[in-house]
Amino acid sequence: MKEAITVSVTGAAGQIGYALLFRIASGSMFGPDQPVNLRLIEIEPGMAALEGVIMELDDCAFPLLNSVHGTSDLEDGFKDTNWALLVGSVPRKAGMERNDLLGINGKIFTGQGQAIAKAAAPNVRTLVVGNPCNTNALIAMNNAAGVPNEQFFAMTRLDENRAKSQLAAKAGVHSSDVTNLCIWGNHSATQYPDFTNAKIKGQPLTSVITDQNWLEGEFISTVQQRGAAIIKARGASSAASAANAVVDTVSSLTTETPAGDWHSVAVCSPGAYGIREGLIASMPIRTNADGSWSVVERVPVDEFSQGKIDATINELLEEREAVKDLIPA
Ligand SMILES: NC(=O)C1=CN([C@@H]2O[C@H](COP(=O)(O)OP(=O)(O)OC[C@H]3O[C@@H](n4cnc5c(N)ncnc54)[C@H](O)[C@@H]3O)[C@@H](O)[C@H]2O)C=CC1
Ligand SMILES: O=C([O-])CC(=O)C(=O)O
């Protein structure tokens, strides 16, 4: 048996938590031979519900679940953890943009960043899901002194999956036939799902889907507005598909990316593609055989794409300005 991986999840009794924990414990995230320890973090009012979730995890008798621990203490929750999945935070309601949550949620991530730096394993990787996730990840990263910036991520995989699904439906193929789909920038209404470099069964997508008006218009806005459409329909924000995207993100960051392809996740920009160094921005990422990640270089960016990327990066710069008090100098 392999040594267990420790995974901490904040907001563990929330909607996404409820859809996520059972996937992690069943082996979907790290594979069918990898045991896991779960350290589940909730705020005090969520602790009773968390007890119930832990009872249900026990009742599944998962072969790969080595231990489960629930706590409202951050350092206890992140103790020796290898993966910190920061889900806990308030979701938006209909009519709000995700960055309307900055004032409510931003401050959560200072203490979490500090506790990760203090208590987690040196190789800890942190994935922020709670919105606005890019800027919350920026706050956590900048408050986690001593933890390398390369170990912080924010989730744009749900957007990638949504985009692939829309494109597959338009082309009449399966979503797994769509590759090389990159989400650029912010997990927000300015994100850019880059269809110009995508492929369908290895062919340029734009040679299969020739309706340029649809690609530049309805396709982009459907992906940008999908979260809002789910809130309108469900009365609550996407939870199962978000949890699924967490599983996909961690899985893609822990397994080598298929040759020639890439995946979308927001990373601390090394300055690639002119994206301001230090911003948490989504771009095309490859996971290497040794488990490290790299930005895929020389992905063509045409004038249309550049305009879209500039808009979403400008929004990230504005969000950073809005939370500058939460970022130590
Ligand atoms: N990046 C993405 O693609 C997506 C992000 N989200 C975001 O994920 C977040 C969580 O969504 P849901 O699970 O649906 O919300 P929810 O309200 O059902 O659950 C959130 C949980 O977090 C807990 N919580 C709040 N503050 C906390 C803190 N400081 N520490 C630990 N736990 C805390 C709450 O008690 C609650 O149980 C929201 O911000 C939502 O907007 C949702 C979907 C997709
Ligand atoms: O839209 C929201 O508020 C929840 C979210 O991030 C998504 O579904 O992509």
Side-chain angles (χ1 to χ4, degrees), residues 46-295:
M47 285 308 286
L50 182 60
E51 280 310 313
V53 175
I54 292 175
M55 286 159 70
E56 285 204 71
L57 282 165
D58 288 343
D59 294 349
C60 292
F62 284 120
L64 293 171
L65 188 54
N66 194 52
S67 69
V68 192
H69 176 66
T71 181
S72 59
D73 179 89
L74 289 177
E75 284 182 35
D76 182 27
F78 293 125
K79 189 172 181 312
D80 299 330
T81 203
N82 305 112
W83 279 93
L85 306 178
L86 306 188
V87 178
S89 52
V90 176
R92 66 172 163 158
K93 305 284 178 309
M96 294 169 80
E97 286 299 335
R98 295 186 187 93
N99 63 12
D100 292 335
L101 295 169
L102 260 187
I104 309 170
N105 287 340
K107 53 185 178 295
I108 294 175
F109 294 84
T110 56
Q112 294 190 352
Q114 289 156 10
I116 287 167
K118 241 182 176 166
N123 71 355
V124 63
R125 282 181 274 182
T126 298
L127 173 67
V128 180
V129 176
N131 279 318
C133 60
N134 297 58
T135 298
N136 289 338
L138 183 82
I139 296 168
M141 178 180 82
N142 282 286
N143 281 278
V147 183
N149 290 351
E150 296 74 40
Q151 293 172 205
F152 284 85
F153 307 91
M155 192 166 89
T156 51
R157 182 57 168 270
L158 178 53
D159 309 296
E160 176 185 321
N161 290 346
R162 288 167 170 165
K164 283 180 168 170
S165 182
Q166 293 295 322
L167 293 168
K170 180 79 172 174
V173 299
H174 192 266
S175 53
S176 58
D177 293 327
V178 184
T179 61
N180 301 82
L181 192 291
C182 171
I183 302 293
W184 292 91
N186 200 2
H187 173 65
S188 76
T190 65
Q191 66 175 278
Y192 173 47
D194 181 1
F195 61 84
T196 68
N197 291 294
K199 294 182 180 165
I200 291 188
K201 297 186 180 175
Q203 300 304 308
L205 178 128
T206 48
S207 69
V208 181
I209 301 176
T210 53
D211 184 349
Q212 194 72 11
N213 280 340
W214 180 83
L215 287 169
E216 292 184 5
E218 193 181 330
F219 163 67
I220 294 178
S221 61
T222 299
V223 177
Q224 290 175 332
Q225 295 298 333
R226 188 67 163 186
I230 303 275
I231 292 171
K232 188 160 177 252
R234 227 171 72 82
S237 71
S238 351
S241 55
N244 179 66
V246 177
V247 172
D248 284 351
T249 305
V250 174
S251 174
S252 288
L253 286 170
T254 49
T255 50
E256 189 176 4
T257 307
D261 202 0
W262 53 71
H263 60 96
S264 307
V265 60
V267 297
C268 178
S269 172
Y273 295 98
I275 296 171
R276 187 80 59 87
E277 203 175 330
L279 283 181
I280 300 279
S282 187
M283 55 188 92
I285 298 297
R286 278 192 58 76
T287 302
N288 305 310
D290 66 0
S292 63
W293 60 263
S294 325
V295 180

